Amino acid sequence: MSQPSATRISPEDIKTHGLSDEEYQKILQVLGGREPNLVELGIFSVMWSEHCSYKSSKKWLKTLPTTAPWVICGPGENAGVIDIGDGLAAIFKMESHNHPSFIEPYQGAATGVGGILRDVFTMGARPIANMNALRFGAPEHPKTRHLVSGVVHGISGYGNCVGVPTVGGEINFHPSYNGNILVNAMTVGLAQQDKIFYSAAAGAGNPVVYVGSKTGRDGIHGATMASAEFDANSEEKRPTVQVGDPFTEKLLIEACMELMNTDAIQSIQDMGAAGLTSSSFEMASKGGMGVELNMETVPQREEGMTPYEMMLSESQERMLIILKPGKEDIARKIFEKWELDFAIIGHLTDTGRMVLKFHGEVVCDLPIDPLAQASPEYDRPWLAPEKLPVLDASTVKDVPWPDALKTLMGCPDIASRRWVWEQYDHMVMADTAQRPGGDAAVVRIHDSNRALAITTDCTPRYVKADPFEGGKQAVAETWRNITAVGARPLAITDNLNFGNPQKPEIMGQIVEAIRGIGDACTALDYPVISGNVSLYNETDGKPILPTPAIGGVGLLDNLDHMMTIAFKGEGDAVLLLGQTEDAGWLGQSLYLREVCGLETGAPPHVDLVHERKVGDFVRDLIRNSKITACHDLSDGGLMVAATEMALAGDIGCKLEGVAGHAVLFGEDQGRYLITAKNAAGILEAAKAAGVDAKQIGVTGGTAVALGTKSVEIRALRELHEGWFPAYMASAS
């Protein structure tokens, strides 16, 4: 076979493709000394990008716990898979679309949703729920409102049209995200365990089939852009943002599901980051195969497209399928019925090489395994962050609790997200059992009385102050959220958003956060089964807060035992479980930031043994119908949790036996607020289990009351639900 025609590669070409001089020298070694042409350079560029190769993080990602008896497939596939009984599997993953969403918020967020949906249904799962974890800059920043509006509309515009409910998520605001917002999307799907599809290609001569939308010039260099910092000229990168079509995605889901009910598929992969390059390369690599593609047969929606453009395009709603021999007509008829493109664009070989032809001429000839094995893996220098001193709560201004509570309930990070989630169709498919606003979303497993509990969480200010404790806390918070609705936490997906890993202090954040995540997952039997790393989240050298977002999934065996945060009636005892004495951790708390204007001190410590003991006790109480409401304590501490429960039930409470700003608003970990008819029985059971428990009040009335002071629920609701609509309606 003839070699591809030579191209003189300039230093500017190397730089434009995001490669270092050392990496280019490694490319020459892989190619036996010959220079690549531009097509080949582009393929190396995307396959060795941070976004695709995890070259700065994979050394540390290998340390995470990824197995458990219920894990069917851990990291390495399109999404992770867990056994949920009855022959079913839950398949889920979270991924980032940060850089595109900052440049073009609607399409960036929309295509983030589309991409994560494809990661899940390509494995044979019907998507049943979407989540998102969003971070925006300071509310007063001139771009923030525009970005919030675009992202929310992008998520709703895509998810609603596809017909998959968006059932929850989280939103934070902080100035560190002014120039680099975070949009992390998560999808959960259900599949029969005996009908799970994987991406490893097999069978020399088997046809390589392209299905879905046509290829355009949108998204070229998307993976490379996602592996670089922003600067003042980032708006010029708009052409690298993909354009989504949710209606086509819906057709693609149904066509793939129909084909999966036949025996035609050998392997299947979505075209995500790096498009046709990554899908074809990864499928062949995993199966130890080669692949030969005829580029002129790729469906194209623009005139005069080159092989370089076709291989690097990240046009949406496309899949690559390896069919079994003789199954072409079956597959073609299905995709033509759904009015989607279907094209046989090549075949598998036993050469171990990627060969691309264009009108008979070889335009690329690369060794697949050597390219993969030579992918850089850096052990970058890192510095452990300096430990901040524990904040002495007595030195923090003690603001009267009614004033502090009103400030917190109306602040951007605690205010109701109703304005957001009411734009999402969270009830489509008719299986949403717990709507947004609680500790975790709960989605019924169709035609059963079982359900999945789903949540996302991270407290970036904790991670910045202490990445190890912050990483632990992010995992523990999702574990608590799932526990609080009565479900058993099973596994997580992660989305590790950080700044430039070439800076030792940023690399130190990454290393320590991963160490914290790993410790928490091990202690809680809560493995990592999928995930994504998004680095270089910086603008003009200013990094975001380190944000290792965690998506958790748990199983609720009986929906009749599902718990919510709402107070259910008058006269129920209000009990605090977990640390009831000596609580009062104000370091990095929202009280400190929002009420006192300070961001300082060490974050709260996460005692994982304590976390598990208290959580298991709470789950037993819920399973045995001993309590009427449950809410974990997090941002804003005890008073905010009690107020959220009162607002959810429209019933007040009278608290007693707790006092002082540190006790009322401290963010000590591993704690829950519950209500019950029989307080004495729970206190006795808690004592036997070695769990701290204390009755601190009773439900009833129309206000949140403590001592001689109270605040009416009506006033708190106006503050809590008023901030977001007022902010979005205000002038720019």
Side-chain angles (χ1 to χ4, degrees):
M1 183 177 293
S2 61
Q3 290 284 350
S5 57
T7 304
R8 187 64 189 168
I9 300 298
S10 70
E12 186 60 30
D13 290 330
I14 298 168
K15 181 180 178 182
T16 300
H17 284 79
L19 294 161
S20 68
D21 291 339
E22 293 77 12
E23 288 167 346
Y24 186 68
Q25 291 304 311
K26 189 176 281 192
I27 289 172
L28 296 180
Q29 292 173 16
V30 170
L31 295 181
R34 79 168 174 89
E35 282 204 294
N37 61 28
L38 276 175
V39 177
E40 294 168 329
L41 186 71
I43 289 172
F44 273 101
S45 165
V46 294
M47 295 308 298
W48 286 9
S49 69
E50 195 76 62
H51 193 74
C52 291
S53 75
Y54 301 116
K55 57 191 175 186
S56 296
S57 57
K58 56 188 170 185
K59 168 185 168 67
W60 303 102
L61 295 174
K62 293 173 185 176
T63 66
L64 291 170
T66 59
T67 60
W70 53 89
V71 174
I72 295 173
C73 178
E77 267 296 337
N78 288 289
V81 187
I82 56 174
D83 181 350
I84 58 171
D86 293 346
L88 294 175
I91 300 181
F92 62 95
K93 188 182 183 183
M94 186 191 295
E95 275 209 343
S96 60
H97 231 222
N98 303 334
H99 286 49
S101 298
F102 182 78
I103 295 170
E104 193 358 271
Y106 183 93
Q107 290 295 348
T111 52
V113 173
I116 198 64
L117 283 165
R118 288 193 299 280
D119 277 339
V120 169
F121 77 73
T122 191
M123 297 193 70
R126 179 167 290 281
I128 64 164
N130 287 333
M131 300 280 284
N132 52 74
L134 312 176
R135 267 82 191 183
F136 297 101
E140 62 273 15
H141 189 274
K143 287 197 71 169
T144 299
R145 189 179 292 101
H146 161 73
L147 292 168
V148 171
S149 177
V151 166
V152 169
H153 285 109
I155 291 169
S156 64
Y158 206 99
N160 295 357
C161 291
V162 167
V164 177
T166 301
V167 294
E170 54 174 340
I171 300 177
N172 292 145
F173 295 86
H174 191 275
S176 74
Y177 305 109
N178 282 349
N180 196 130
I181 64 172
L182 302 184
V183 175
N184 297 170
M186 177 179 173
T187 293
V188 181
L190 290 178
Q192 296 287 336
Q193 289 184 24
D194 59 354
K195 290 185 178 179
I196 296 171
F197 291 83
Y198 297 97
S199 59
N206 280 357
V208 178
V209 174
Y210 172 122
V211 299
S213 291
K214 289 180 168 60
T215 294
R217 291 189 172 97
D218 54 321
I220 294 173
H221 288 303
T224 307
M225 177 192 70
S227 307
E229 292 182 29
F230 275 165
D231 57 29
N233 299 316
S234 294
E235 294 289 348
E236 297 173 5
K237 298 180 179 179
R238 193 176 301 273
T240 64
V241 178
Q242 309 92 326
V243 177
D245 180 351
F247 298 103
T248 299
E249 181 101 340
K250 175 62 174 173
L251 299 177
L252 188 58
I253 291 173
E254 299 306 328
C256 287
M257 290 290 161
E258 184 173 337
L259 184 62
M260 286 167 174
N261 282 326
T262 72
D263 66 345
I265 298 174
Q266 186 279 316
S267 55
I268 183 170
Q269 171 98 339
D270 82 297
M271 294 192 214
L276 186 53
T277 289
S278 64
S279 54
S280 58
F281 190 95
E282 289 171 7
M283 293 178 84
S285 179
K286 287 176 182 177
M289 302 299 296
V291 63
E292 183 174 313
L293 303 180
N294 298 307
M295 301 307 296
E296 67 273 11
T297 64
V298 172
Q300 302 157 52
R301 68 167 179 258
E302 299 186 46
E303 294 290 330
M305 290 192 71
T306 65
Y308 178 96
E309 292 170 328
M310 287 183 264
M311 290 302 291
L312 269 61
S313 168
E314 293 184 11
S315 294
Q316 298 292 287
E317 294 87 42
R318 303 180 301 159
M319 309 284 282
L320 202 63
I321 303 173
I322 308 300
L323 291 176
K324 295 177 182 177
K327 302 295 183 180
E328 295 90 336
D329 286 345
I330 293 172
R332 185 189 306 275
K333 287 177 183 176
I334 290 172
F335 283 91
E336 287 179 350
K337 182 185 82 171
W338 290 100
E339 298 182 346
L340 295 167
D341 274 281
F342 176 98
I344 298 171
I345 63 169
H347 62 273
L348 296 181
T349 70
D350 58 7
T351 65
R353 301 187 73 85
M354 172 180 277
V355 176
L356 308 180
K357 294 181 177 179
F358 190 50
H359 299 302
E361 180 186 352
V362 175
V363 294
C364 169
D365 186 354
L366 294 175
I368 290 174
D369 277 350
L371 189 155
Q373 292 163 6
S375 173
E377 179 176 331
Y378 294 126
D379 184 3
R380 295 198 186 276
W382 60 279
L383 292 174
E386 289 187 21
K387 296 285 186 181
L388 295 174
V390 175
L391 186 68
D392 182 350
S394 67
T395 66
V396 178
K397 181 170 61 173
D398 188 351
V399 173
W401 75 259
D403 296 335
L405 180 61
K406 287 187 281 188
T407 296
L408 287 170
M409 294 308 295
C411 79
D413 274 9
I414 291 182
S416 169
R417 273 62 179 131
R418 182 182 295 275
W419 179 90
V420 176
W421 60 257
E422 283 190 340
Q423 298 182 58
Y424 302 152
D425 189 340
H426 50 277
M427 298 301 292
V428 66
M429 300 178 78
D431 281 321
T432 304
Q434 188 163 156
R435 302 182 184 194
D439 281 321
V442 180
V443 179
R444 182 193 308 271
I445 297 169
H446 198 64
D447 289 335
S448 79
N449 200 41
R450 303 191 306 140
L452 295 179
I454 312 164
T455 188
T456 64
D457 227 302
C458 180
T459 311
R461 62 184 187 277
Y462 290 179
V463 188
K464 175 67 163 61
D466 187 331
F468 175 67
E469 288 296 333
K472 285 164 58 180
Q473 193 274 341
V475 173
E477 174 75 3
T478 66
W479 195 84
R480 279 199 300 274
N481 289 340
I482 291 168
T483 293
V485 299
R488 176 168 55 94
L490 291 177
I492 70 164
T493 180
D494 58 32
N495 204 144
L496 309 182
N497 306 275
F498 291 87
N500 184 345
Q502 297 176 54
K503 298 177 180 178
E505 64 274 17
I506 300 296
M507 196 65 220
Q509 293 175 348
I510 297 168
V511 171
E512 289 290 280
I514 291 175
R515 192 166 69 88
I517 291 168
D519 280 11
C521 289
T522 298
L524 299 173
D525 281 340
Y526 193 37
V528 184
I529 65 162
S530 61
N532 173 247
V533 175
S534 174
L535 306 182
Y536 296 95
N537 289 291
E538 300 197 3
T539 301
D540 294 329
K542 297 177 181 177
I544 61 164
L545 289 181
T547 311
I550 304 295
V553 173
L555 181 65
L556 188 59
D557 289 315
N558 186 345
L559 260 174
D560 295 338
H561 294 159
M562 182 185 75
M563 190 53 56
T564 68
I565 72 172
F567 288 156
K568 302 300 188 299
E570 305 261 341
D572 286 358
V574 180
L575 299 101
L576 176 63
L577 301 181
Q579 188 175 2
T580 61
E581 304 298 330
D582 301 320
W585 197 287
L586 288 178
Q588 298 300 327
S589 67
L590 281 186
Y591 175 92
L592 191 70
R593 191 181 84 189
E594 298 295 330
V595 178
C596 305
L598 301 172
E599 293 185 55
T600 189
H605 172 66
V606 180
D607 181 336
L608 294 167
V609 174
H610 164 83
E611 191 77 57
R612 182 159 190 167
K613 180 169 63 174
V614 180
D616 289 347
F617 178 71
V618 167
R619 213 175 302 111
D620 284 341
L621 292 177
I622 296 171
R623 188 181 304 117
N624 292 303
S625 303
K626 299 293 187 183
I627 64 178
T628 54
C630 181
H631 192 14
D632 79 300
L633 272 63
S634 56
D635 286 347
L638 172 60
M639 288 304 291
V640 166
T643 301
E644 289 173 339
M645 297 174 83
L647 290 171
D650 203 26
I651 298 170
C653 60
K654 171 70 174 176
L655 304 181
E656 57 188 16
V658 287
H661 62 316
V663 171
L664 299 179
F665 299 105
E667 296 179 5
D668 308 72
Q669 299 293 295
R671 300 187 299 162
Y672 299 78
L673 208 56
I674 64 171
T675 58
K677 302 294 185 185
N678 179 9
I682 289 176
L683 292 172
E684 184 178 342
K687 185 176 181 181
V691 171
D692 287 347
K694 176 181 179 181
Q695 182 172 350
I696 62 167
V698 64
T699 62
T702 62
V704 174
L706 172 62
T708 61
K709 298 177 181 178
S710 65
V711 185
E712 288 291 319
I713 292 176
R714 183 181 66 255
L716 290 166
R717 190 180 304 281
E718 288 176 1
L719 290 167
H720 187 55
E721 297 196 358
W723 183 84
F724 233 114
Y727 173 67
M728 295 308 297
S730 60
S732 301

